[in-house]
Amino acid sequence: MNPKLINVLKRNAVGYLFLSPWLLGLIGLSALPILASLYFSFTRYDMLTAPDWIGLDNYREMLLNDQKWRNSLKVTLIYVLLGVPLQLVFALSIALMLNRGIRGLRIYRAIYYVPSLFGGSVAVALLWRQLFGGEGLVNLLLRQIGLPGHNWIASPDTALYTLIVLKIWQFGAPMVIFLAALKQVPTELYEASRIDGAGRWKQFWRITLPLITPIVFFNVVMQTIQAFQAFTPAYIVSRGTGGPLDSTLFYTLYLYQKGFTHFQMGYAASMAWVLLIVIAFVTAMLFLSARKWVYYQE
Amino acid sequence: MRTRLKAFAIILLSAVFVLGLAACGGGKSNGNGESAGGSGNTAQSGDSGSGETVEIRFTWWGDTARNDLYNAIVDRFEEEYPHIKVKREFGGWADYWDRLATQSAGGNAPDVVSMHQFYVADYAARGALLDLQTVIDSGELDVSLFPEAALDSGRVNGTLVMIPKGITMPGWVYHTATLDKLGIAYPDINWTYDDLIAISRQVVEKSGGTMWGTPDMGGGQLQPNFRYFVRQNGEDLYTEDGKLGFSRDTLVKWWSMWKQMRDEKLIPDAATSAEYDGVPLEQNLFVTGKVALYQIPANQIYLYEQQFPEGEIHMVRMPSLPGGQNGEYLEGAYLSITAQSKHPKEAALFINFFVNSERSLELFKVEQGSPANTDMAEFVKPLLAAPQARAVDFIQTVIPYATSAAYAPAGATEVEAAFKDNATAIAFGQKTVEQAADDFLAAANRILGQ
């Protein structure tokens, strides 16, 4: 072998040795399973017998015939398109409120952050069932003020919106990031604009918002990707069914049902790859659009 | 010298890191799979040499009370066979099947698994279950006291793949105190669907609209309710060769009957039904006093009676169809040995102890149905509390009506999902009965045609 090459290898060997735990993890726990899933997506695989190569049949069936798949994609898109913007607007408003130099900021910040810590937890989803159920707290309050109750969780026209409200309620993580961004906005800009006669509203639109667009962008991307992959709330609130009438059948929930209830792991794998493509596409679009509206100070 | 020391230190360090990583990985899969941890041990304990301790795993579904009971039975087995250790895994009905599917796929299914008619074909057709004739021939498992019909209910395509823990039959129950209070006469054991509707009307009327007659049983699981109806019509859910076995006409009649009851407000509205779908026993519509009639398997009578401070739970047959056939078929909870098991002999000894020994049946009684072993059925009789004795009486009264039933083909869970979806769509007024029937048949034929 080329003595130079050996030298290079020798020099880097120690580095790779240090990297090895991470490398092994990447290959064994991520790369190989991902490749296996790609292979399974081209097979009929019931997990008990050997996979059976069927080419593009899974993808064809999904895109052309599967009504339930189409519906699950629709439900997920509604969840993302409504949930993410509303959650971020909410997070930003709270951050703006907290940023006005009130006393005990740390405590408020912690309190508002708590729901996010419980984020995907089973307990919160169970709580949601109670809150919005037929005999739940929400209906109790509505009846107190003389309005008729409604079975929010169990009606197909409202079930998804209770999950969107749950998403909005978990605004803590983006809020903390917004709060950090708001602190970075130079105060002299506000002083200067006040002298020029700008009100709070104008200050927000002309100074605050443009300066924090990189952070808005970051939050939009992260929350969008997360929302596409949401699973726990729908699984718990609908008891794994995605009901009533598939109105909360998130993409991931349908994927889970296909794989683990109906023994169609190959089909589930192909669904996962389509989801990956959808998320990649949406993220790419966001990055393209960012050129138009994200303002970096340099 | 110094560089060598350095190299050694580096290797040592990275070894530590790698080990740490492996531990992390293990911890993770434990967290997700709950019980996956035990898998490795079974393989390591090697062949079942004499004197050497062997570990097998046993899994079942059920509530807390059943878990305590089965743990006690397993403890007694371990006393009797000190060289066999039994690891236990359990969960609720729905989680149970999800987990078993995943474990089977991962090649670490437990040795002894609880099985059910509805799922057995899925596993048997894929070669996941041991042919139990092998362990009967080698003498570990004795089935000489099992009636042929009971054994037959554990055969799929002629192969014996599961042994009944208990045989049970479904029926409809009412709570005597509730009907007394409402002043409604108890239904006859041979009642009809018209009686079901008539009693429901009385319930709504006499309770002043605070109760419904029954929950909405038009959708949900395909069996037992809908299955009894199609069998009474001379059909069945599936044919022997795995196609849909009933006609559109029968399906339309069934859903129309429930739609009529819904329109008359004899059963809960769609949203209420959806809310109570899948809640635990303590919270269901019957136990909370919102409906007067309910369908359960007979072995659960005593569980329901515990929920009421006074009165008794009585059971009648599934409603019959005047001029129709009998819907009854044998049902129960079963035990199987997985094909992957490294210790089929020890697993068979365990099943043998579970279904044939007084030490086990003394605890089991009729937990998941009446024991199929005829001697044991006699043995448990004097041990039973009143509601359990009532269950056994019911089962014995009804079993003579039972005829054989074809097993569900692979894909049955998906057919059931389509059935449930379309029934719910009718309930929410999104489809007419005819539309829903057409949609269901199209979906089911597509699933089973594959």
Side-chain angles (χ1 to χ4, degrees):
Chain A
M1 220 195 287
N2 188 340
K4 230 179 180 178
L5 191 72
I6 292 175
N7 241 340
V8 171
L9 273 179
K10 250 189 186 163
R11 209 169 338 123
N12 293 343
V14 175
Y16 281 115
L17 212 56
F18 272 110
L19 262 180
S20 63
W22 179 84
L23 265 179
L24 282 175
L26 177 77
I27 293 167
L29 300 175
S30 299
L32 288 179
I34 288 171
L35 284 176
S37 136
L38 184 62
Y39 166 70
F40 287 140
S41 78
F42 296 109
T43 64
R44 181 178 300 132
Y45 180 41
D46 61 19
M47 301 195 287
L48 295 172
T49 46
D52 179 17
W53 183 269
I54 52 168
L56 287 170
D57 278 9
N58 283 332
Y59 292 94
R60 208 170 291 138
E61 166 76 12
M62 187 190 327
L63 299 170
L64 299 181
N65 289 330
D66 195 342
Q67 286 294 338
K68 251 182 136 144
W69 175 81
R70 243 169 266 174
N71 176 65
S72 75
L73 194 60
K74 191 184 96 190
V75 167
T76 309
L77 283 175
I78 294 175
Y79 179 74
V80 172
L81 289 177
L82 282 180
V84 173
L86 286 174
Q87 184 201 31
L88 291 183
V89 167
F90 201 65
L92 183 56
S93 346
I94 302 285
L96 284 167
M97 260 169 52
L98 291 180
N99 194 38
R100 288 165 64 180
I102 44 169
R103 276 173 24 152
L105 168 67
R106 281 155 182 250
I107 295 170
Y108 287 116
R109 197 170 52 192
I111 291 174
Y112 284 120
Y113 188 67
V114 165
S116 282
L117 288 178
F118 296 142
S121 91
V122 173
V124 168
L126 279 173
L127 177 87
W128 228 245
R129 260 200 90 82
Q130 296 296 322
L131 218 54
F132 287 95
E135 322 261 291
L137 191 66
V138 171
N139 276 348
L140 206 74
L141 291 174
L142 283 178
R143 287 196 192 107
Q144 288 287 321
I145 57 170
L147 289 170
H150 179 79
N151 207 329
W152 306 96
I153 293 276
S155 303
D157 44 342
T158 50
L160 178 58
Y161 298 99
T162 63
L163 294 183
I164 292 177
V165 173
L166 175 60
K167 166 96 181 140
I168 298 170
W169 181 64
Q170 290 162 347
F171 60 87
M175 179 204 72
V176 168
I177 298 171
F178 277 136
L179 208 50
L182 291 175
K183 296 245 178 273
Q184 298 297 314
V185 180
T187 41
E188 60 263 30
L189 290 180
Y190 292 119
E191 279 160 25
S193 67
R194 198 159 56 235
I195 293 165
D196 290 344
R200 284 193 171 283
W201 193 239
K202 209 155 207 173
Q203 280 181 343
F204 172 74
W205 284 107
R206 291 292 167 85
I207 299 171
T208 316
L209 199 57
L211 284 180
I212 63 167
T213 43
I215 298 300
V216 173
F217 177 61
F218 171 80
N219 272 335
V220 168
V221 172
M222 296 310 285
Q223 293 299 325
T224 302
I225 293 175
Q226 256 181 39
F228 266 112
Q229 300 177 38
F231 174 78
T232 322
Y235 181 78
I236 304 295
V237 170
S238 72
R239 292 210 180 79
T241 63
L245 277 184
D246 295 341
S247 59
T248 60
L249 187 69
F250 282 179
Y251 194 96
T252 49
L253 183 53
Y254 185 45
L255 190 158
Y256 171 84
Q257 287 182 354
K258 276 285 179 191
F260 292 97
T261 316
H262 302 323
F263 293 97
Q264 297 176 17
M265 206 39 95
Y267 194 87
S270 61
M271 278 184 71
W273 281 91
V274 171
L275 179 64
L276 178 74
I277 292 167
V278 170
I279 294 179
F281 176 76
V282 170
T283 313
M285 286 295 120
L286 284 174
F287 269 92
L288 275 180
S289 78
R291 292 185 192 159
K292 298 243 185 275
W293 61 272
V294 177
Y295 171 69
Y296 293 98
Q297 272 164 282
E298 291 86 38
Chain B
M1 186 65 205
R2 185 166 268 176
T3 47
R4 240 196 233 162
L5 205 72
K6 223 192 226 161
F8 177 75
I10 287 164
I11 290 169
L12 191 77
L13 255 174
S14 48
V16 168
F17 279 136
V18 171
L19 282 177
L21 186 88
C24 283
K28 214 177 201 171
S29 69
N30 265 347
N32 296 339
E34 249 175 65
S35 47
S39 56
N41 307 343
T42 331
Q44 280 159 18
S45 50
D47 271 326
S48 51
S50 54
E52 213 175 316
T53 304
V54 168
E55 187 177 276
I56 60 172
R57 288 154 64 217
F58 167 43
T59 180
W60 67 86
W61 67 81
D63 58 356
T64 334
R66 181 175 298 160
N67 294 343
D68 293 344
L69 184 68
Y70 281 13
N71 270 316
I73 294 178
V74 175
D75 288 343
R76 287 188 172 188
F77 172 77
E78 287 180 339
E79 272 171 37
E80 203 127 317
Y81 297 88
H83 71 289
I84 305 177
K85 267 198 67 64
V86 183
K87 281 200 70 145
R88 308 114 200 238
E89 300 168 10
F90 43 84
W93 167 262
D95 307 332
Y96 176 84
W97 295 106
D98 284 355
R99 190 177 60 204
L100 189 58
T102 318
Q103 287 179 328
S104 305
N108 59 2
D111 303 89
V112 180
V113 296
S114 297
M115 208 16 90
H116 189 266
Q117 269 109 344
F118 197 68
Y119 288 92
V120 68
D122 262 338
Y123 285 89
R126 293 169 175 136
L129 302 178
L130 186 77
D131 178 357
L132 295 177
Q133 196 58 47
T134 57
V135 284
I136 294 172
D137 292 343
S138 61
E140 277 84 14
L141 182 58
D142 177 16
V143 291
S144 55
L145 292 170
F146 282 63
E148 194 51 34
L151 286 181
D152 221 33
S153 71
R155 286 198 176 97
V156 176
N157 294 329
T159 309
L160 185 66
V161 291
M162 56 181 191
I163 294 288
K165 286 187 262 193
I167 298 289
T168 191
M169 300 293 283
W172 280 70
V173 286
Y174 55 90
H175 178 226
T176 53
T178 305
L179 288 194
D180 289 347
K181 210 184 298 162
L182 293 171
I184 297 172
Y186 302 156
D188 183 75
I189 185 159
N190 291 313
W191 67 336
T192 63
Y193 291 103
D194 287 340
D195 294 335
L196 172 72
I197 297 172
I199 295 175
S200 296
R201 270 194 202 116
Q202 290 178 33
V203 170
V204 173
E205 204 176 293
K206 301 211 169 153
S207 70
T210 59
M211 287 180 81
W212 290 286
T214 105
D216 189 343
M217 298 283 197
Q221 296 189 316
L222 281 163
Q223 59 183 18
N225 289 290
F226 179 61
R227 187 165 197 189
Y228 269 67
F229 186 72
V230 294
R231 284 168 63 86
Q232 287 159 349
N233 278 287
E235 302 167 338
D236 205 337
L237 289 184
Y238 304 105
T239 59
E240 290 289 347
D241 57 350
K243 300 269 177 277
L244 214 55
F246 55 90
S247 61
R248 179 179 184 275
D249 198 35
T250 312
L251 180 61
V252 169
K253 265 193 252 166
W254 175 255
W255 276 341
S256 300
M257 178 178 90
W258 288 99
K259 181 171 163 26
Q260 182 209 330
M261 290 178 76
R262 199 175 305 112
D263 292 346
E264 252 191 81
K265 298 199 188 324
L266 303 181
I267 59 174
D269 55 283
T272 307
S273 297
E275 193 183 358
Y276 281 91
D277 183 21
V279 296
L281 185 150
E282 314 76 77
Q283 297 165 22
N284 73 30
L285 285 161
F286 183 68
V287 170
T288 52
K290 295 191 172 70
V291 301
L293 302 165
Y294 205 62
Q295 185 276 311
I296 60 171
N299 56 304
Q300 290 184 8
I301 290 178
Y302 85 97
L303 290 175
Y304 277 81
E305 190 154 309
Q306 285 169 2
Q307 299 291 327
F308 294 92
E310 46 163 13
E312 294 178 347
I313 300 294
H314 287 188
M315 181 170 266
V316 294
R317 281 174 75 187
M318 303 288 281
S320 54
L321 192 66
Q325 306 180 9
N326 287 320
E328 277 83 357
Y329 53 94
L330 275 195
E331 268 192 88
Y334 295 76
L335 292 172
S336 291
I337 300 177
T338 46
Q340 306 161 349
S341 169
K342 299 251 185 341
H343 307 289
K345 285 184 193 289
E346 285 75 9
L349 284 175
F350 176 74
I351 295 181
N352 194 53
F353 177 85
F354 200 103
V355 299
N356 287 330
S357 78
E358 292 188 357
R359 300 249 302 147
S360 155
L361 272 299
E362 189 186 351
L363 298 171
F364 179 87
K365 290 174 192 149
V366 290
E367 176 63 25
Q368 286 189 288
S370 191
N373 176 328
T374 45
D375 277 11
M376 287 303 127
E378 285 305 314
F379 167 73
V380 298
K381 258 189 189 162
L383 306 173
L384 301 180
Q388 292 172 321
R390 229 178 290 133
V392 172
D393 280 346
F394 175 82
I395 293 167
Q396 286 176 347
T397 313
V398 176
I399 277 187
Y401 297 115
T403 52
S404 69
Y407 276 112
T413 54
E414 229 181 329
V415 173
E416 183 162 284
F419 179 76
K420 187 176 180 176
D421 288 349
N422 281 295
T424 316
I426 300 173
F428 277 109
Q430 298 205 342
K431 285 183 189 174
T432 66
V433 170
E434 282 75 18
Q435 265 174 340
D438 289 337
D439 289 355
F440 167 77
L441 290 176
N445 286 325
R446 199 162 59 85
I447 295 161
L448 296 174
Q450 279 170 358

